[in-house]
Every structure is written in structure tokens, then in C-alpha cells.
Amino acid sequence: MIDGQKEVWRNVDAYLEEVLGEDDPILADALYLARQEGLPPASVSPAQGRFLATLVQMIKARYILEVGTLAGYSTIHLARATGPEGEVVTLEYDSHHAHVAQVNLERAGLADRVEVRIGAAAETLPVIYEELRPKFDFVFIDADKTNNTLYVEWALKLARPGAVVVIDNVVRNGGVVDAHSTDPSVIGSRAALEFIADINPPAAAVLQTVGAKGHDGFAIFVVPGDLPG
Ligand code: SAH
Ligand code: DHB
Ligand code: MG
């Protein structure tokens, strides 16, 4: 790694914010409250939040599932992008995180279209399945990486054919290449990538990213099956 490379990535993200528009006060305040409340700095970056919002708009996703809420920063991006008719269900294990997210979503005027469910996703996902709600159009997986394969399996059950599933943090500063890694997050990410490679290979991609959050990557795939209409 060339010294100063990370500074370049940060500078480019700062420039991109300048040219595309800085985070508005609601997004900025959401991150501020997260810091104030001692939450870890794991929210997607502003550039990544815009990217997710753009994907949601591209497929006109109405029903969105998020696994891993934290302070609701990504949730705000997703909920805005889905529009007033949209609905977001977001799953969070830590009740303090969920509380901070709820405050942020209320301040953002989005509480009516977002439901924050507290509990381990491995337990709340089956409950959502039992509720027979409309199938999700978009799923963002961004919680404990050790369970990524399980979350992908649930995404396949809960999302409609043609739905888009995005998994965050699958590159982890290059750690993903280490087949002998003992890091549970790397093991979890590698397992999830191997799993999605078998689902719908022509409609799966992994893209490395650099920026304010360092070197990481998103996995993206389209849920197979007969497309409606
Ligand atoms: N999507 C957020 C960041 C999520 S960070 C954003 O970009 O703004 C990961 C979150 O997943 C943390 O809040 C953590 O508490 C939560 N988490 C960890 N394990 C979990 C589990 N088993 N079930 C649900 N949430 C979990
Ligand atoms: C961590 C988790 C994330 O979801 C993320 O985007 C960055 C970091 C973490 O657990 O360190
Ligand atoms: Mg993440």
C-alpha cells in the first residue's frame, strides 16, 4: 500500500460530496448522534449511501429489507429512495442502536415507512417469513458477517424473483483473499461469495470499493426465478 493512498481516497470522496451535494442536515445529524451515542463508525459512507439509493431507484424498489440498522444512516438513504409508498423493514440486534436509529428516522420524517425490529436477525427473519408480507424488492445485508450465508438464504425466501440483494463489506481491506484466514468475518464473507456463485452466476457481481471507509466491496446479485409480467 502506497503511503498517502488512503488520504487520496478520502479526498476523492470529499470532492465527490462537493460536486454531487453534501449530506443534508438530517443525514449529517444522524451520523452526529451515532458518534455522540458511542456507536461504532460502521455506517456506509455518503458515496455508498447514494449508490444504494440509486440502485433502489433503478429497480423502483418498494419493499426493502435491511439486515443491520446501526444508527439508521443507510436506512434513511434506502427509505428516501423508495418514496412515500415504500416500506422498509430493518433488523437490529442491539436495542441501543435500534433506539438511536428510531430517533434518527423520526427526525428524518421517515418513521411511518420504516419498521425497526429488535432482535438477532436469525430469529427475526423467520418471524417476517411467517407474516406473509409482500416479497421484498431489495435487500441490504450489513450485519454480523459470520451469518452472511444464512442472511442470503433468507433473502432468497423473502425476496421476489428479480429482486436485488446487496451484501456490504465483502472485501475487508483485501482480507477476503486469504483462504486460511481465522477472522470470522472473512470466513463468513468467503462462504457467502461461494454460496452466491451457485445461485445465479450471470446475475452476480462483486465490486471492490475505495473511499472514506478504506478498501472494501459490495456483492450484488439478482434473485433468480420467473420474473413477473
Ligand atoms: N447498515 C448500517 C450499518 C450497520 S453496522 C449503515 O450502513 O448505516 C452493523 C449492525 O448490525 C450493528 O448495528 C450491529 O449491532 C448489527 N448486528 C450485529 N449482529 C446482528 C445480528 N445477529 N442481528 C441483527 N443485527 C446485528
Ligand atoms: C464494520 C461493520 C460494517 O458493516 C462496516 O460497514 C464497517 C465495519 C465492523 O464491524 O467493523
Ligand atoms: Mg457495512
Side-chain angles (χ1 to χ4, degrees), residues 31 39-40 42-45 52 66-75 90-94 97 117 119-122 124 140 142-145 147 151 168 213:
L31 292 180
L39 273 52
S43 309
V44 293
S45 69
L52 294 174
E66 177 177 63
V67 186
T69 317
L70 192 62
Y73 179 81
S74 54
T75 324
T90 183
L91 311 181
E92 176 53 56
Y93 175 72
D94 184 305
H97 296 183
R117 292 259 180 130
T124 49
F140 181 45
D142 189 22
D144 51 324
K145 316 309 171 193
N147 279 318
Y151 300 152
D168 197 18
K213 282 190 78 180

PDB file of all heavy atoms in Angstrom, residues 31 39-40 42-45 52 66-75 90-94 97 117 119-122 124 140 142-145 147 151 168 213, ligand 1:
ATOM      1  N   LEU A  31     -25.441  10.847  11.672  1.00  0.00           N
ATOM      2  CA  LEU A  31     -24.078  10.379  11.978  1.00  0.00           C
ATOM      3  C   LEU A  31     -23.557  11.028  13.249  1.00  0.00           C
ATOM      4  O   LEU A  31     -22.842  10.400  14.036  1.00  0.00           O
ATOM      5  CB  LEU A  31     -23.133  10.673  10.803  1.00  0.00           C
ATOM      6  CG  LEU A  31     -23.390   9.865   9.531  1.00  0.00           C
ATOM      7  CD1 LEU A  31     -22.394  10.245   8.442  1.00  0.00           C
ATOM      8  CD2 LEU A  31     -23.321   8.357   9.802  1.00  0.00           C
ATOM      9  N   LEU A  39     -21.797   4.805  19.105  1.00  0.00           N
ATOM     10  CA  LEU A  39     -21.960   3.701  18.156  1.00  0.00           C
ATOM     11  C   LEU A  39     -20.701   3.570  17.294  1.00  0.00           C
ATOM     12  O   LEU A  39     -20.030   4.568  17.032  1.00  0.00           O
ATOM     13  CB  LEU A  39     -23.200   3.931  17.275  1.00  0.00           C
ATOM     14  CG  LEU A  39     -24.536   3.413  17.842  1.00  0.00           C
ATOM     15  CD1 LEU A  39     -24.797   3.893  19.240  1.00  0.00           C
ATOM     16  CD2 LEU A  39     -25.689   3.754  16.926  1.00  0.00           C
ATOM     17  N   PRO A  40     -20.386   2.365  16.830  1.00  0.00           N
ATOM     18  CA  PRO A  40     -19.169   2.198  16.017  1.00  0.00           C
ATOM     19  C   PRO A  40     -19.314   2.898  14.655  1.00  0.00           C
ATOM     20  O   PRO A  40     -20.430   3.039  14.163  1.00  0.00           O
ATOM     21  CB  PRO A  40     -19.072   0.673  15.840  1.00  0.00           C
ATOM     22  CG  PRO A  40     -20.448   0.161  16.074  1.00  0.00           C
ATOM     23  CD  PRO A  40     -21.094   1.097  17.057  1.00  0.00           C
ATOM     24  N   ALA A  42     -19.487   2.414  11.570  1.00  0.00           N
ATOM     25  CA  ALA A  42     -19.671   1.383  10.535  1.00  0.00           C
ATOM     26  C   ALA A  42     -20.756   1.740   9.521  1.00  0.00           C
ATOM     27  O   ALA A  42     -21.056   0.930   8.643  1.00  0.00           O
ATOM     28  CB  ALA A  42     -19.977   0.039  11.192  1.00  0.00           C
ATOM     29  N   SER A  43     -21.332   2.951   9.629  1.00  0.00           N
ATOM     30  CA  SER A  43     -22.347   3.342   8.639  1.00  0.00           C
ATOM     31  C   SER A  43     -21.699   3.372   7.256  1.00  0.00           C
ATOM     32  O   SER A  43     -20.508   3.669   7.135  1.00  0.00           O
ATOM     33  CB  SER A  43     -22.877   4.749   8.943  1.00  0.00           C
ATOM     34  OG  SER A  43     -23.288   4.858  10.287  1.00  0.00           O
ATOM     35  N   VAL A  44     -22.471   3.107   6.228  1.00  0.00           N
ATOM     36  CA  VAL A  44     -21.947   3.286   4.875  1.00  0.00           C
ATOM     37  C   VAL A  44     -21.508   4.737   4.720  1.00  0.00           C
ATOM     38  O   VAL A  44     -21.999   5.631   5.420  1.00  0.00           O
ATOM     39  CB  VAL A  44     -22.978   2.917   3.771  1.00  0.00           C
ATOM     40  CG1 VAL A  44     -23.284   1.431   3.783  1.00  0.00           C
ATOM     41  CG2 VAL A  44     -24.260   3.745   3.876  1.00  0.00           C
ATOM     42  N   SER A  45     -20.581   4.978   3.786  1.00  0.00           N
ATOM     43  CA  SER A  45     -20.133   6.347   3.536  1.00  0.00           C
ATOM     44  C   SER A  45     -21.224   7.097   2.769  1.00  0.00           C
ATOM     45  O   SER A  45     -22.128   6.468   2.197  1.00  0.00           O
ATOM     46  CB  SER A  45     -18.844   6.332   2.719  1.00  0.00           C
ATOM     47  OG  SER A  45     -19.128   5.882   1.408  1.00  0.00           O
ATOM     48  N   LEU A  52     -26.470   3.037  -2.962  1.00  0.00           N
ATOM     49  CA  LEU A  52     -27.600   2.176  -2.596  1.00  0.00           C
ATOM     50  C   LEU A  52     -28.922   2.817  -3.004  1.00  0.00           C
ATOM     51  O   LEU A  52     -29.818   2.150  -3.543  1.00  0.00           O
ATOM     52  CB  LEU A  52     -27.601   1.904  -1.086  1.00  0.00           C
ATOM     53  CG  LEU A  52     -26.436   1.088  -0.532  1.00  0.00           C
ATOM     54  CD1 LEU A  52     -26.509   1.031   0.997  1.00  0.00           C
ATOM     55  CD2 LEU A  52     -26.429  -0.325  -1.107  1.00  0.00           C
ATOM     56  N   GLU A  66     -33.558  -4.571   5.306  1.00  0.00           N
ATOM     57  CA  GLU A  66     -32.174  -4.300   5.675  1.00  0.00           C
ATOM     58  C   GLU A  66     -31.832  -5.164   6.883  1.00  0.00           C
ATOM     59  O   GLU A  66     -32.591  -5.216   7.844  1.00  0.00           O
ATOM     60  CB  GLU A  66     -32.004  -2.819   6.017  1.00  0.00           C
ATOM     61  CG  GLU A  66     -30.596  -2.459   6.474  1.00  0.00           C
ATOM     62  CD  GLU A  66     -30.423  -0.963   6.745  1.00  0.00           C
ATOM     63  OE1 GLU A  66     -31.101  -0.428   7.655  1.00  0.00           O
ATOM     64  OE2 GLU A  66     -29.627  -0.337   6.039  1.00  0.00           O
ATOM     65  N   VAL A  67     -30.676  -5.808   6.839  1.00  0.00           N
ATOM     66  CA  VAL A  67     -30.195  -6.591   7.984  1.00  0.00           C
ATOM     67  C   VAL A  67     -28.994  -5.836   8.552  1.00  0.00           C
ATOM     68  O   VAL A  67     -27.937  -5.776   7.926  1.00  0.00           O
ATOM     69  CB  VAL A  67     -29.814  -8.026   7.565  1.00  0.00           C
ATOM     70  CG1 VAL A  67     -29.465  -8.866   8.789  1.00  0.00           C
ATOM     71  CG2 VAL A  67     -30.935  -8.682   6.771  1.00  0.00           C
ATOM     72  N   GLY A  68     -29.178  -5.223   9.723  1.00  0.00           N
ATOM     73  CA  GLY A  68     -28.113  -4.401  10.324  1.00  0.00           C
ATOM     74  C   GLY A  68     -28.409  -2.918  10.172  1.00  0.00           C
ATOM     75  O   GLY A  68     -28.099  -2.319   9.159  1.00  0.00           O
ATOM     76  N   THR A  69     -29.045  -2.337  11.198  1.00  0.00           N
ATOM     77  CA  THR A  69     -29.535  -0.952  11.124  1.00  0.00           C
ATOM     78  C   THR A  69     -28.491   0.055  11.577  1.00  0.00           C
ATOM     79  O   THR A  69     -28.381   1.136  11.002  1.00  0.00           O
ATOM     80  CB  THR A  69     -30.773  -0.782  12.037  1.00  0.00           C
ATOM     81  OG1 THR A  69     -31.651  -1.888  11.887  1.00  0.00           O
ATOM     82  CG2 THR A  69     -31.498   0.514  11.753  1.00  0.00           C
ATOM     83  N   LEU A  70     -27.783  -0.265  12.649  1.00  0.00           N
ATOM     84  CA  LEU A  70     -26.905   0.662  13.370  1.00  0.00           C
ATOM     85  C   LEU A  70     -27.686   1.949  13.699  1.00  0.00           C
ATOM     86  O   LEU A  70     -28.719   1.870  14.346  1.00  0.00           O
ATOM     87  CB  LEU A  70     -25.612   0.906  12.583  1.00  0.00           C
ATOM     88  CG  LEU A  70     -24.488   1.613  13.348  1.00  0.00           C
ATOM     89  CD1 LEU A  70     -24.014   0.803  14.539  1.00  0.00           C
ATOM     90  CD2 LEU A  70     -23.288   1.907  12.442  1.00  0.00           C
ATOM     91  N   ALA A  71     -27.246   3.105  13.209  1.00  0.00           N
ATOM     92  CA  ALA A  71     -27.923   4.363  13.541  1.00  0.00           C
ATOM     93  C   ALA A  71     -28.973   4.750  12.510  1.00  0.00           C
ATOM     94  O   ALA A  71     -29.536   5.850  12.579  1.00  0.00           O
ATOM     95  CB  ALA A  71     -26.893   5.479  13.677  1.00  0.00           C
ATOM     96  N   GLY A  72     -29.206   3.877  11.548  1.00  0.00           N
ATOM     97  CA  GLY A  72     -30.219   4.176  10.541  1.00  0.00           C
ATOM     98  C   GLY A  72     -29.741   5.068   9.408  1.00  0.00           C
ATOM     99  O   GLY A  72     -30.558   5.579   8.638  1.00  0.00           O
ATOM    100  N   TYR A  73     -28.430   5.218   9.269  1.00  0.00           N
ATOM    101  CA  TYR A  73     -27.915   6.102   8.200  1.00  0.00           C
ATOM    102  C   TYR A  73     -28.216   5.508   6.819  1.00  0.00           C
ATOM    103  O   TYR A  73     -28.812   6.181   5.971  1.00  0.00           O
ATOM    104  CB  TYR A  73     -26.415   6.343   8.391  1.00  0.00           C
ATOM    105  CG  TYR A  73     -25.806   7.218   7.313  1.00  0.00           C
ATOM    106  CD1 TYR A  73     -25.920   8.606   7.369  1.00  0.00           C
ATOM    107  CD2 TYR A  73     -25.140   6.652   6.228  1.00  0.00           C
ATOM    108  CE1 TYR A  73     -25.379   9.402   6.376  1.00  0.00           C
ATOM    109  CE2 TYR A  73     -24.592   7.443   5.238  1.00  0.00           C
ATOM    110  CZ  TYR A  73     -24.710   8.820   5.308  1.00  0.00           C
ATOM    111  OH  TYR A  73     -24.178   9.611   4.308  1.00  0.00           O
ATOM    112  N   SER A  74     -27.842   4.235   6.618  1.00  0.00           N
ATOM    113  CA  SER A  74     -28.179   3.598   5.335  1.00  0.00           C
ATOM    114  C   SER A  74     -29.694   3.493   5.189  1.00  0.00           C
ATOM    115  O   SER A  74     -30.232   3.625   4.082  1.00  0.00           O
ATOM    116  CB  SER A  74     -27.530   2.221   5.214  1.00  0.00           C
ATOM    117  OG  SER A  74     -27.862   1.408   6.329  1.00  0.00           O
ATOM    118  N   THR A  75     -30.374   3.277   6.303  1.00  0.00           N
ATOM    119  CA  THR A  75     -31.838   3.154   6.276  1.00  0.00           C
ATOM    120  C   THR A  75     -32.480   4.428   5.730  1.00  0.00           C
ATOM    121  O   THR A  75     -33.459   4.363   4.975  1.00  0.00           O
ATOM    122  CB  THR A  75     -32.383   2.883   7.699  1.00  0.00           C
ATOM    123  OG1 THR A  75     -31.477   2.040   8.408  1.00  0.00           O
ATOM    124  CG2 THR A  75     -33.755   2.263   7.643  1.00  0.00           C
ATOM    125  N   THR A  90     -36.114  -3.001   8.887  1.00  0.00           N
ATOM    126  CA  THR A  90     -34.686  -3.057   9.188  1.00  0.00           C
ATOM    127  C   THR A  90     -34.469  -3.770  10.512  1.00  0.00           C
ATOM    128  O   THR A  90     -35.192  -3.538  11.479  1.00  0.00           O
ATOM    129  CB  THR A  90     -34.048  -1.644   9.130  1.00  0.00           C
ATOM    130  OG1 THR A  90     -32.624  -1.773   9.368  1.00  0.00           O
ATOM    131  CG2 THR A  90     -34.644  -0.677  10.122  1.00  0.00           C
ATOM    132  N   LEU A  91     -33.497  -4.678  10.520  1.00  0.00           N
ATOM    133  CA  LEU A  91     -33.303  -5.598  11.644  1.00  0.00           C
ATOM    134  C   LEU A  91     -32.049  -5.235  12.423  1.00  0.00           C
ATOM    135  O   LEU A  91     -30.976  -5.063  11.839  1.00  0.00           O
ATOM    136  CB  LEU A  91     -33.182  -7.034  11.129  1.00  0.00           C
ATOM    137  CG  LEU A  91     -34.263  -7.482  10.136  1.00  0.00           C
ATOM    138  CD1 LEU A  91     -34.033  -8.933   9.728  1.00  0.00           C
ATOM    139  CD2 LEU A  91     -35.662  -7.298  10.703  1.00  0.00           C
ATOM    140  N   GLU A  92     -32.184  -5.120  13.727  1.00  0.00           N
ATOM    141  CA  GLU A  92     -31.056  -4.713  14.567  1.00  0.00           C
ATOM    142  C   GLU A  92     -31.062  -5.489  15.877  1.00  0.00           C
ATOM    143  O   GLU A  92     -32.054  -5.533  16.578  1.00  0.00           O
ATOM    144  CB  GLU A  92     -31.119  -3.197  14.829  1.00  0.00           C
ATOM    145  CG  GLU A  92     -30.064  -2.670  15.758  1.00  0.00           C
ATOM    146  CD  GLU A  92     -28.632  -3.030  15.376  1.00  0.00           C
ATOM    147  OE1 GLU A  92     -28.211  -2.724  14.250  1.00  0.00           O
ATOM    148  OE2 GLU A  92     -27.938  -3.649  16.207  1.00  0.00           O
ATOM    149  N   TYR A  93     -29.893  -6.036  16.178  1.00  0.00           N
ATOM    150  CA  TYR A  93     -29.716  -6.858  17.363  1.00  0.00           C
ATOM    151  C   TYR A  93     -29.634  -6.028  18.640  1.00  0.00           C
ATOM    152  O   TYR A  93     -30.164  -6.400  19.685  1.00  0.00           O
ATOM    153  CB  TYR A  93     -28.425  -7.655  17.170  1.00  0.00           C
ATOM    154  CG  TYR A  93     -28.000  -8.474  18.336  1.00  0.00           C
ATOM    155  CD1 TYR A  93     -28.690  -9.624  18.686  1.00  0.00           C
ATOM    156  CD2 TYR A  93     -26.886  -8.100  19.097  1.00  0.00           C
ATOM    157  CE1 TYR A  93     -28.287 -10.391  19.760  1.00  0.00           C
ATOM    158  CE2 TYR A  93     -26.481  -8.867  20.178  1.00  0.00           C
ATOM    159  CZ  TYR A  93     -27.188 -10.001  20.503  1.00  0.00           C
ATOM    160  OH  TYR A  93     -26.799 -10.753  21.557  1.00  0.00           O
ATOM    161  N   ASP A  94     -28.963  -4.881  18.534  1.00  0.00           N
ATOM    162  CA  ASP A  94     -28.620  -4.082  19.720  1.00  0.00           C
ATOM    163  C   ASP A  94     -29.716  -3.035  19.963  1.00  0.00           C
ATOM    164  O   ASP A  94     -29.963  -2.178  19.116  1.00  0.00           O
ATOM    165  CB  ASP A  94     -27.260  -3.410  19.441  1.00  0.00           C
ATOM    166  CG  ASP A  94     -26.737  -2.625  20.623  1.00  0.00           C
ATOM    167  OD1 ASP A  94     -27.471  -1.730  21.115  1.00  0.00           O
ATOM    168  OD2 ASP A  94     -25.594  -2.873  21.046  1.00  0.00           O
ATOM    169  N   HIS A  97     -28.624   0.632  19.614  1.00  0.00           N
ATOM    170  CA  HIS A  97     -28.519   1.036  18.209  1.00  0.00           C
ATOM    171  C   HIS A  97     -29.919   1.290  17.634  1.00  0.00           C
ATOM    172  O   HIS A  97     -30.151   2.298  16.938  1.00  0.00           O
ATOM    173  CB  HIS A  97     -27.825  -0.045  17.369  1.00  0.00           C
ATOM    174  CG  HIS A  97     -26.405  -0.311  17.753  1.00  0.00           C
ATOM    175  ND1 HIS A  97     -25.607  -1.210  17.076  1.00  0.00           N
ATOM    176  CD2 HIS A  97     -25.623   0.207  18.741  1.00  0.00           C
ATOM    177  CE1 HIS A  97     -24.400  -1.248  17.628  1.00  0.00           C
ATOM    178  NE2 HIS A  97     -24.384  -0.406  18.643  1.00  0.00           N
ATOM    179  N   ARG A 117     -36.934  -3.547  13.718  1.00  0.00           N
ATOM    180  CA  ARG A 117     -37.220  -4.762  14.509  1.00  0.00           C
ATOM    181  C   ARG A 117     -36.003  -5.113  15.341  1.00  0.00           C
ATOM    182  O   ARG A 117     -34.913  -5.331  14.785  1.00  0.00           O
ATOM    183  CB  ARG A 117     -37.483  -5.945  13.587  1.00  0.00           C
ATOM    184  CG  ARG A 117     -38.746  -5.819  12.811  1.00  0.00           C
ATOM    185  CD  ARG A 117     -39.830  -6.659  13.450  1.00  0.00           C
ATOM    186  NE  ARG A 117     -41.032  -6.514  12.662  1.00  0.00           N
ATOM    187  CZ  ARG A 117     -41.752  -7.514  12.223  1.00  0.00           C
ATOM    188  NH1 ARG A 117     -41.396  -8.761  12.501  1.00  0.00           N
ATOM    189  NH2 ARG A 117     -42.843  -7.296  11.524  1.00  0.00           N
ATOM    190  N   GLY A 119     -33.754  -7.518  17.628  1.00  0.00           N
ATOM    191  CA  GLY A 119     -33.507  -8.941  17.855  1.00  0.00           C
ATOM    192  C   GLY A 119     -32.430  -9.449  16.921  1.00  0.00           C
ATOM    193  O   GLY A 119     -32.075  -8.766  15.950  1.00  0.00           O
ATOM    194  N   ALA A 120     -31.906 -10.628  17.210  1.00  0.00           N
ATOM    195  CA  ALA A 120     -30.940 -11.259  16.308  1.00  0.00           C
ATOM    196  C   ALA A 120     -31.656 -11.582  15.002  1.00  0.00           C
ATOM    197  O   ALA A 120     -32.745 -12.164  15.013  1.00  0.00           O
ATOM    198  CB  ALA A 120     -30.366 -12.513  16.939  1.00  0.00           C
ATOM    199  N   ALA A 121     -31.066 -11.209  13.895  1.00  0.00           N
ATOM    200  CA  ALA A 121     -31.721 -11.404  12.599  1.00  0.00           C
ATOM    201  C   ALA A 121     -32.060 -12.870  12.354  1.00  0.00           C
ATOM    202  O   ALA A 121     -33.073 -13.175  11.723  1.00  0.00           O
ATOM    203  CB  ALA A 121     -30.852 -10.841  11.475  1.00  0.00           C
ATOM    204  N   ALA A 122     -31.231 -13.771  12.879  1.00  0.00           N
ATOM    205  CA  ALA A 122     -31.518 -15.202  12.705  1.00  0.00           C
ATOM    206  C   ALA A 122     -32.854 -15.567  13.339  1.00  0.00           C
ATOM    207  O   ALA A 122     -33.481 -16.559  12.950  1.00  0.00           O
ATOM    208  CB  ALA A 122     -30.393 -16.046  13.319  1.00  0.00           C
ATOM    209  N   THR A 124     -35.407 -12.943  13.890  1.00  0.00           N
ATOM    210  CA  THR A 124     -36.477 -12.085  13.361  1.00  0.00           C
ATOM    211  C   THR A 124     -36.810 -12.417  11.899  1.00  0.00           C
ATOM    212  O   THR A 124     -37.954 -12.230  11.474  1.00  0.00           O
ATOM    213  CB  THR A 124     -36.125 -10.590  13.503  1.00  0.00           C
ATOM    214  OG1 THR A 124     -34.811 -10.367  12.996  1.00  0.00           O
ATOM    215  CG2 THR A 124     -36.176 -10.156  14.959  1.00  0.00           C
ATOM    216  N   PHE A 140     -30.628  -5.350   1.706  1.00  0.00           N
ATOM    217  CA  PHE A 140     -29.266  -4.902   2.025  1.00  0.00           C
ATOM    218  C   PHE A 140     -28.795  -5.660   3.259  1.00  0.00           C
ATOM    219  O   PHE A 140     -29.374  -5.521   4.338  1.00  0.00           O
ATOM    220  CB  PHE A 140     -29.250  -3.389   2.272  1.00  0.00           C
ATOM    221  CG  PHE A 140     -27.874  -2.839   2.576  1.00  0.00           C
ATOM    222  CD1 PHE A 140     -26.763  -3.211   1.827  1.00  0.00           C
ATOM    223  CD2 PHE A 140     -27.681  -1.926   3.610  1.00  0.00           C
ATOM    224  CE1 PHE A 140     -25.493  -2.703   2.101  1.00  0.00           C
ATOM    225  CE2 PHE A 140     -26.429  -1.405   3.897  1.00  0.00           C
ATOM    226  CZ  PHE A 140     -25.324  -1.799   3.134  1.00  0.00           C
ATOM    227  N   ASP A 142     -26.044  -6.239   5.979  1.00  0.00           N
ATOM    228  CA  ASP A 142     -24.939  -5.432   6.546  1.00  0.00           C
ATOM    229  C   ASP A 142     -24.905  -5.591   8.072  1.00  0.00           C
ATOM    230  O   ASP A 142     -24.872  -4.610   8.800  1.00  0.00           O
ATOM    231  CB  ASP A 142     -25.151  -3.956   6.146  1.00  0.00           C
ATOM    232  CG  ASP A 142     -23.962  -3.094   6.499  1.00  0.00           C
ATOM    233  OD1 ASP A 142     -22.848  -3.633   6.663  1.00  0.00           O
ATOM    234  OD2 ASP A 142     -24.148  -1.863   6.605  1.00  0.00           O
ATOM    235  N   ALA A 143     -24.916  -6.837   8.543  1.00  0.00           N
ATOM    236  CA  ALA A 143     -24.878  -7.062   9.999  1.00  0.00           C
ATOM    237  C   ALA A 143     -23.627  -7.856  10.352  1.00  0.00           C
ATOM    238  O   ALA A 143     -22.544  -7.530   9.885  1.00  0.00           O
ATOM    239  CB  ALA A 143     -26.166  -7.737  10.453  1.00  0.00           C
ATOM    240  N   ASP A 144     -23.774  -8.890  11.184  1.00  0.00           N
ATOM    241  CA  ASP A 144     -22.633  -9.740  11.527  1.00  0.00           C
ATOM    242  C   ASP A 144     -22.273 -10.598  10.316  1.00  0.00           C
ATOM    243  O   ASP A 144     -23.096 -11.327   9.788  1.00  0.00           O
ATOM    244  CB  ASP A 144     -22.963 -10.595  12.760  1.00  0.00           C
ATOM    245  CG  ASP A 144     -24.286 -11.343  12.620  1.00  0.00           C
ATOM    246  OD1 ASP A 144     -25.233 -10.780  12.010  1.00  0.00           O
ATOM    247  OD2 ASP A 144     -24.367 -12.481  13.076  1.00  0.00           O
ATOM    248  N   LYS A 145     -21.022 -10.470   9.882  1.00  0.00           N
ATOM    249  CA  LYS A 145     -20.597 -11.105   8.620  1.00  0.00           C
ATOM    250  C   LYS A 145     -20.553 -12.625   8.728  1.00  0.00           C
ATOM    251  O   LYS A 145     -20.635 -13.321   7.715  1.00  0.00           O
ATOM    252  CB  LYS A 145     -19.228 -10.555   8.196  1.00  0.00           C
ATOM    253  CG  LYS A 145     -19.075  -9.040   8.324  1.00  0.00           C
ATOM    254  CD  LYS A 145     -20.203  -8.252   7.662  1.00  0.00           C
ATOM    255  CE  LYS A 145     -20.143  -6.771   7.976  1.00  0.00           C
ATOM    256  NZ  LYS A 145     -21.369  -6.056   7.601  1.00  0.00           N
ATOM    257  N   ASN A 147     -22.768 -14.563   9.734  1.00  0.00           N
ATOM    258  CA  ASN A 147     -24.058 -15.144   9.333  1.00  0.00           C
ATOM    259  C   ASN A 147     -24.465 -14.770   7.911  1.00  0.00           C
ATOM    260  O   ASN A 147     -25.626 -14.947   7.542  1.00  0.00           O
ATOM    261  CB  ASN A 147     -25.151 -14.702  10.299  1.00  0.00           C
ATOM    262  CG  ASN A 147     -25.162 -15.525  11.573  1.00  0.00           C
ATOM    263  OD1 ASN A 147     -25.010 -16.749  11.518  1.00  0.00           O
ATOM    264  ND2 ASN A 147     -25.307 -14.879  12.708  1.00  0.00           N
ATOM    265  N   TYR A 151     -28.141 -15.148   5.939  1.00  0.00           N
ATOM    266  CA  TYR A 151     -28.943 -13.996   5.505  1.00  0.00           C
ATOM    267  C   TYR A 151     -29.247 -14.059   4.002  1.00  0.00           C
ATOM    268  O   TYR A 151     -30.333 -13.669   3.566  1.00  0.00           O
ATOM    269  CB  TYR A 151     -28.239 -12.683   5.878  1.00  0.00           C
ATOM    270  CG  TYR A 151     -28.008 -12.537   7.370  1.00  0.00           C
ATOM    271  CD1 TYR A 151     -26.944 -11.785   7.870  1.00  0.00           C
ATOM    272  CD2 TYR A 151     -28.842 -13.168   8.302  1.00  0.00           C
ATOM    273  CE1 TYR A 151     -26.724 -11.664   9.241  1.00  0.00           C
ATOM    274  CE2 TYR A 151     -28.622 -13.052   9.670  1.00  0.00           C
ATOM    275  CZ  TYR A 151     -27.563 -12.302  10.130  1.00  0.00           C
ATOM    276  OH  TYR A 151     -27.345 -12.192  11.477  1.00  0.00           O
ATOM    277  N   ASP A 168     -22.760  -5.936   2.079  1.00  0.00           N
ATOM    278  CA  ASP A 168     -21.682  -4.968   2.351  1.00  0.00           C
ATOM    279  C   ASP A 168     -20.443  -5.683   2.889  1.00  0.00           C
ATOM    280  O   ASP A 168     -20.526  -6.782   3.436  1.00  0.00           O
ATOM    281  CB  ASP A 168     -22.167  -3.940   3.387  1.00  0.00           C
ATOM    282  CG  ASP A 168     -21.284  -2.689   3.417  1.00  0.00           C
ATOM    283  OD1 ASP A 168     -20.524  -2.449   2.456  1.00  0.00           O
ATOM    284  OD2 ASP A 168     -21.377  -1.936   4.415  1.00  0.00           O
ATOM    285  N   LYS A 213     -14.185   5.001   3.689  1.00  0.00           N
ATOM    286  CA  LYS A 213     -14.189   3.837   4.588  1.00  0.00           C
ATOM    287  C   LYS A 213     -13.076   2.850   4.262  1.00  0.00           C
ATOM    288  O   LYS A 213     -13.098   1.722   4.747  1.00  0.00           O
ATOM    289  CB  LYS A 213     -15.540   3.110   4.533  1.00  0.00           C
ATOM    290  CG  LYS A 213     -16.632   3.798   5.336  1.00  0.00           C
ATOM    291  CD  LYS A 213     -17.868   2.934   5.460  1.00  0.00           C
ATOM    292  CE  LYS A 213     -17.735   1.839   6.495  1.00  0.00           C
ATOM    293  NZ  LYS A 213     -18.964   1.022   6.588  1.00  0.00           N
TER     294      LYS A 213
HETATM  295  N1  SAH B   1     -26.393  -0.567   7.731  1.00  0.00           N
HETATM  296  C1  SAH B   1     -25.792   0.403   8.672  1.00  0.00           C
HETATM  297  C2  SAH B   1     -24.580  -0.160   9.344  1.00  0.00           C
HETATM  298  C3  SAH B   1     -24.799  -1.472  10.062  1.00  0.00           C
HETATM  299  S1  SAH B   1     -23.421  -1.903  11.117  1.00  0.00           S
HETATM  300  C4  SAH B   1     -25.396   1.655   7.890  1.00  0.00           C
HETATM  301  O1  SAH B   1     -24.697   1.497   6.870  1.00  0.00           O
HETATM  302  O2  SAH B   1     -25.753   2.767   8.292  1.00  0.00           O
HETATM  303  C5  SAH B   1     -23.915  -3.498  11.607  1.00  0.00           C
HETATM  304  C6  SAH B   1     -25.099  -3.539  12.569  1.00  0.00           C
HETATM  305  O3  SAH B   1     -25.546  -4.885  12.638  1.00  0.00           O
HETATM  306  C7  SAH B   1     -24.749  -3.111  14.005  1.00  0.00           C
HETATM  307  O4  SAH B   1     -25.638  -2.138  14.472  1.00  0.00           O
HETATM  308  C8  SAH B   1     -24.913  -4.400  14.802  1.00  0.00           C
HETATM  309  O5  SAH B   1     -25.421  -4.210  16.133  1.00  0.00           O
HETATM  310  C9  SAH B   1     -25.932  -5.158  13.961  1.00  0.00           C
HETATM  311  N2  SAH B   1     -25.901  -6.602  14.190  1.00  0.00           N
HETATM  312  C10 SAH B   1     -24.844  -7.368  14.533  1.00  0.00           C
HETATM  313  N3  SAH B   1     -25.204  -8.645  14.668  1.00  0.00           N
HETATM  314  C11 SAH B   1     -26.525  -8.710  14.393  1.00  0.00           C
HETATM  315  C12 SAH B   1     -27.487  -9.763  14.381  1.00  0.00           C
HETATM  316  N4  SAH B   1     -27.141 -11.015  14.650  1.00  0.00           N
HETATM  317  N5  SAH B   1     -28.761  -9.454  14.052  1.00  0.00           N
HETATM  318  C13 SAH B   1     -29.111  -8.188  13.746  1.00  0.00           C
HETATM  319  N6  SAH B   1     -28.251  -7.161  13.757  1.00  0.00           N
HETATM  320  C14 SAH B   1     -26.979  -7.403  14.086  1.00  0.00           C
END
